[in-house]
């Protein structure tokens, strides 16, 4: 195997290893990262139950709760991670390592995916059980493809954002916060995105999560009366485009921001 | 040292910690941008509730049921910031700024320091709560019925509410002190737990019996109920509707006092455990 490829594969494994093994050495994460976030999802499901909403809305919340886990992972453990690495003094080590920055990011993604997938599965299983949600999946293969494409596009977005966070000071924390509720609102995490109106919904489809969530809802709640944003086929095509564009932009963005950081002297500037 | 000197010293320490917290929070940018960052997230949180209500009921937002959800959600912004802020202080000082050992060595005490840092968060968040309530009035037609006579009631409730959130935040800090850091899951998770247990956006009456019992054992449930009664003059939780406003406030006071006591014991125990196991300044981020 090509020596360069082997080095990069080792970098991916090395970065993922820390997260997986680190988590399993301190099992308290199962409470804080899995059990407690589950309760926030329950709270939103109870809002719908309290309002006497049709049961499919509770199903929407459970599915969205699982997807929120991935969004939070991308936001805090991918996008904002280079900021933390800078603050902890690891960023310069990554930058002098003879590997692609994308390999480090991919390692973070894979390591984070283990924890996040556990949380998402727990939300799906317990949410379904507690609220008696029933699913009617129209096509498993398409569902799997939509989910994988959504994740690829989102992690591309995460890598692209990390290039910006690399140069951030304390605003990193506030900026990451800024991408929580506004994104939950615009992507229609808790209600069908169409209810925002056609123009806003169309603009929100620039975030791959909007498309992925809408397509997943259409596929797992087949026959639901709620208006979708687009057809699954169109959303699938848009996700393919988003995956290619975002991952390409991430590669370019990381190089550009690294150069910019070096020129402005902000790459290793801490506690600002 | 006399008790007056001790109180003076604690207040001085708290204010210093508050000033430090405020500087950490805000001095990276100009006040306008900082305020924008502070209010955007809560406003969108409120919009989520607005759309959830609108999609399901189709009722106008001026409906009293909507107003109760909206007000509960608006005040919960303070809980998220104050409670998780106090909890995260330990993480920040241990893993990020690496100052926790010096704070521990300082004479002001960890509890005083945490309260001071929490107060800075409360101060920074107050504008967001006020603006969210104002948007409720201006954009969604919520009519607040509070009059001047309700002011003392609101003031006492706010003091108890803030003390309650700080106490729960200190318990969270105690847990953080003896556990590893796995991202920001602890803070987000705890706010999810309190979102469920305080009935911020639904009545706790729809919770299963044992969960509702836990909800009644913590102060935020009563605080949010008191604030709703004060601003809307309508009880929200059916099972507590027989309680007068005064009885509700009294319940809030003693449940808060109990929570503060439990938090103080939890913090002391966590400090002892962290010291004896060498976890006080152990960096665990990955």
């Amino acid at each position: 195997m090509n020596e360069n490829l082997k080095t990069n594969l080792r970098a991916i494994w090395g970065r993922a290893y820390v997260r997986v093994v680190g988590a399993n050495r301190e099992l308290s994460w199962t409470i804080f990262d899995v059990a407690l976030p589950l309760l926030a999802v329950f709270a939103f499901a109870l809002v719908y139950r309290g309002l006497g909403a049709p049961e499919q809305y509770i199903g929407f919340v459970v599915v969205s709760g699982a997807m929120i886990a991935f969004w939070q992972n991308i936001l805090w453990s991918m996008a904002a991670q280079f900021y933390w690495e800078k603050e902890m003094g690891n960023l310069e080590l990554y930058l002098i390592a003879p590997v692609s920055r994308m390999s480090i990011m991919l390692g973070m993604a894979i390591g984070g995916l283990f924890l996040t997938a556990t949380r998402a599965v727990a939300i799906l299983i317990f949410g379904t059980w507690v609220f008696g949600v029933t699913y009617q999946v129209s096509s498993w293969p398409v569902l799997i493809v939509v989910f994988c494409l959504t994740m690829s596009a989102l992690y591309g977005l995460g890598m692209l954002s990390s290039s910006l966070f690399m140069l951030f000071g304390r605003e990193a924390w506030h900026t990451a916060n800024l991408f929580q509720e506004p994104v939950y609102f615009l992507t229609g995490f808790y209600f069908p995105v169409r209810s925002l109106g056609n123009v806003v919904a169309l603009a929100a489809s620039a975030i791959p999560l909007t498309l992925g969530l809408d397509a997943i809802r259409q596929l797992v709640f087949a026959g639901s009366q709620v208006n979708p944003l687009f057809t699954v086929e169109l959303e699938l095509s848009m996700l393919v485009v988003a995956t290619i564009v975002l991952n390409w932009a991430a590669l370019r963005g990381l190089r550009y921001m690294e150069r910019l950081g070096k020129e402005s002297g902000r790459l290793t500037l801490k506690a600002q | 040292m006399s008790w007056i000197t001790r109180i003076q010293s604690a207040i001085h320490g708290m204010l210093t910690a508050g000033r430090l917290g405020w500087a950490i929070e805000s001095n990276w940018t100009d006040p306008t941008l900082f305020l924008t960052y502070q209010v955007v997230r809560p406003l969108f949180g409120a919009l989520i509730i607005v759309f959830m209500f609108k999609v399901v009921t189709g009722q106008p937002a001026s409906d009293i049921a909507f107003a109760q959800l909206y007000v509960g959600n608006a005040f919960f912004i303070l809980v998220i910031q104050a409670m998780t802020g106090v909890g995260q202080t330990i993480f920040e000082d241990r893993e990020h700024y690496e100052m926790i050992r010096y704070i521990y060595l300082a004479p002001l005490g960890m509890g005083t320091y945490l309260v001071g840092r929490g107060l800075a968060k409360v101060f920074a968040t107050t504008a967001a709560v006020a603006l969210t309530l104002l948007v409720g009035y201006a954009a969604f037609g919520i009519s607040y019925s509070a009059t001047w006579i309700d002011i003392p009631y609101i003031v006492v409730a706010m003091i108890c509410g803030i003390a309650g959130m700080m106490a729960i935040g200190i318990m969270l800090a105690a847990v953080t002190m003896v556990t590893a850091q796995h991202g920001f899951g602890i803070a987000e998770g705890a706010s999810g737990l309190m979102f469920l247990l305080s009935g911020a956006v639904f009545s706790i009456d729809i919770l299963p019996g044992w969960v509702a019992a836990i909800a009644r054992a913590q102060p935020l449930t009563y605080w949010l109920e008191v604030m709703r009664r004060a601003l809307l003059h309508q009880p929200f939780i059916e099972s507590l509707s027989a309680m007068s406003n005064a009885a509700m406030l009294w319940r809030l006071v003693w449940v808060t006092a109990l929570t503060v006591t439990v938090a103080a014991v939890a913090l002391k125990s966590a400090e002892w455990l962290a010291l004896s196991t060498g976890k006080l300044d152990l960096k665990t981020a990955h």
Side-chain angles (χ1 to χ4, degrees):
Chain A
M1 198 191 286
N2 178 300
E3 197 57 39
N4 189 35
L5 179 65
K6 257 170 47 184
T7 311
N8 277 286
L9 285 175
R10 277 204 300 267
I12 294 170
W13 169 240
R15 191 61 189 86
Y17 178 88
V18 186
R19 287 197 167 173
V20 177
V21 173
N24 284 314
R25 280 188 184 154
E26 177 82 43
L27 290 173
S28 57
W29 72 273
T30 52
I31 297 170
F32 300 117
D33 282 359
V34 178
L36 295 182
L38 192 67
L39 301 176
V41 177
F42 285 7
F44 277 101
L46 285 170
V47 175
Y48 275 137
R49 187 149 285 177
L51 291 172
E55 288 297 303
Q56 64 192 18
Y57 283 96
I58 295 174
F60 283 4
V61 170
V62 171
V63 171
S64 298
M67 295 300 280
I68 280 180
F70 291 104
W71 178 250
Q72 287 193 340
N73 179 249
I74 285 155
L75 196 58
W76 294 105
S77 303
M78 289 280 294
Q81 188 66 28
F82 267 5
Y83 161 72
W84 288 115
E85 301 287 7
K86 180 173 75 174
E87 295 290 312
M88 288 190 289
N90 288 341
L91 186 62
E92 48 261 54
L93 299 178
Y94 293 155
L95 296 180
I96 60 167
V99 291
S100 162
R101 317 289 177 255
M102 293 285 271
S103 301
I104 307 264
M105 301 298 300
L106 201 58
M108 279 182 197
I110 292 168
L113 211 57
F114 163 74
L115 303 177
T116 312
T118 312
R119 177 171 159 182
V121 169
I123 289 172
L124 274 180
I125 291 173
F126 285 102
T128 304
W129 176 58
V130 170
F131 294 103
V133 179
T134 50
Y135 303 99
Q136 203 182 336
V137 181
S138 58
S139 168
W140 279 103
V142 180
L143 179 63
I144 292 167
V145 171
V146 166
F147 178 77
C148 292
L149 277 173
T150 308
M151 287 302 116
S152 311
L154 281 181
Y155 278 91
L157 182 63
M159 286 192 255
L160 178 63
S161 313
S162 74
S163 63
L164 295 172
F165 275 81
M166 193 153 64
L167 303 188
F168 279 172
R170 273 174 292 155
E171 69 266 39
W173 164 255
H174 295 275
T175 310
N177 264 324
L178 211 58
F179 286 110
Q180 293 210 119
E181 270 74 3
V183 170
Y184 300 165
F185 174 74
L186 289 172
T187 53
F189 261 119
Y190 296 111
F191 49 80
V193 71
R194 260 289 168 96
S195 45
L196 292 173
N198 288 342
V199 177
V200 180
L202 200 65
S205 66
I207 308 170
L209 199 55
T210 313
L211 299 168
L213 203 56
D214 193 62
I216 288 170
R217 278 177 183 160
Q218 288 185 61
L219 289 163
V220 298
F221 298 107
S224 145
Q225 297 300 308
V226 176
N227 277 344
L229 184 56
F230 302 116
T231 61
V232 173
E233 290 75 19
L234 182 58
E235 286 172 341
L236 205 59
S237 317
M238 290 166 86
L239 282 171
V240 171
V241 174
T243 302
I244 296 167
V245 170
L246 288 170
N247 281 283
W248 174 82
L251 188 63
R252 298 296 297 263
L254 280 167
R255 281 188 200 144
Y256 175 74
M257 295 309 278
E258 185 182 328
R259 186 169 58 80
L260 197 68
K262 282 176 183 169
E263 284 169 6
S264 60
R266 278 185 289 166
L267 211 51
T268 53
L269 201 62
K270 293 176 192 168
Q272 290 301 304
Chain B
M1 195 191 287
S2 75
W3 63 272
I4 295 177
T5 321
R6 278 184 188 195
I7 290 172
Q8 278 176 339
S9 163
I11 291 172
H12 178 71
M14 212 181 289
L15 290 176
T16 308
R19 239 180 33 232
L20 171 70
W22 177 252
I24 291 173
E25 282 290 306
S26 65
N27 76 1
W28 53 272
T29 186
D30 64 88
T32 320
L33 185 64
F34 176 68
L35 195 68
T36 311
Y37 272 86
Q38 286 298 109
V39 299
V40 168
R41 188 182 173 189
L43 275 180
F44 275 91
L47 282 175
I48 290 172
I49 297 295
V50 171
F51 273 80
M52 285 176 80
F53 184 84
K54 204 178 134 194
V55 163
V56 173
T57 66
Q59 297 287 321
S62 53
D63 191 277
I64 185 68
F66 170 74
Q68 286 171 325
L69 290 190
Y70 191 89
V71 168
N73 187 65
F75 280 105
F76 195 79
I77 298 165
L78 265 183
V79 179
I80 298 175
Q81 291 298 321
M83 191 186 77
T84 60
V86 173
Q88 276 172 353
T89 298
I90 294 291
F91 157 70
E92 280 179 5
D93 286 333
R94 183 180 68 194
E95 315 260 345
H96 187 191
Y97 300 116
E98 299 180 38
M99 293 297 288
I100 198 156
R101 67 191 79 153
Y102 308 108
I103 290 159
Y104 181 78
L105 291 173
L108 82 168
M110 195 62 89
T112 311
Y113 173 73
L114 288 173
V115 172
R117 289 287 302 269
L119 283 176
K121 285 268 185 189
V122 169
F123 187 67
T125 314
T126 308
V129 177
L131 192 71
T132 307
L133 291 172
L134 197 66
V135 168
Y137 170 76
F140 306 117
I142 294 174
S143 81
Y144 302 113
S145 335
T147 54
W148 289 109
I149 207 147
D150 295 311
I151 302 274
Y153 186 63
I154 293 173
V155 169
V156 176
M158 281 303 290
I159 292 168
C160 289
I162 290 168
M165 323 166 193
M166 294 284 178
I168 298 170
I170 284 175
M171 288 186 219
L172 198 60
V175 174
T176 310
M177 206 180 272
V178 289
T179 48
Q181 190 271 330
H182 300 291
F184 290 94
I186 293 180
E188 289 291 329
S191 66
L193 174 72
M194 295 320 294
F195 197 53
L196 182 79
L197 289 180
S198 61
V201 285
F202 57 83
S203 166
I204 58 164
D205 291 338
I206 63 169
L207 291 170
W210 64 274
V211 186
I214 299 172
R216 286 196 188 89
Q218 55 88 20
L220 301 180
T221 304
Y222 301 105
W223 174 60
L224 290 175
E225 181 67 6
V226 167
M227 298 314 289
R228 283 190 183 105
R229 286 186 183 199
L231 293 188
L232 304 169
H233 285 186
Q234 284 270 351
F236 178 60
I237 302 169
E238 190 66 35
S239 59
L240 299 175
S241 60
M243 284 177 82
S244 67
N245 288 357
M248 182 64 70
L249 190 63
W250 176 237
R251 175 80 65 92
L252 171 64
V253 170
W254 71 256
V255 174
T256 303
L258 204 65
T259 311
V260 169
T261 312
V262 172
V265 174
L267 184 65
K268 278 285 161 213
S269 311
E271 271 184 58
W272 172 80
L273 196 61
L275 277 178
S276 50
T277 54
K279 285 182 174 173
L280 188 71
D281 60 346
L282 185 70
K283 286 189 76 174
T284 57
H286 50 79

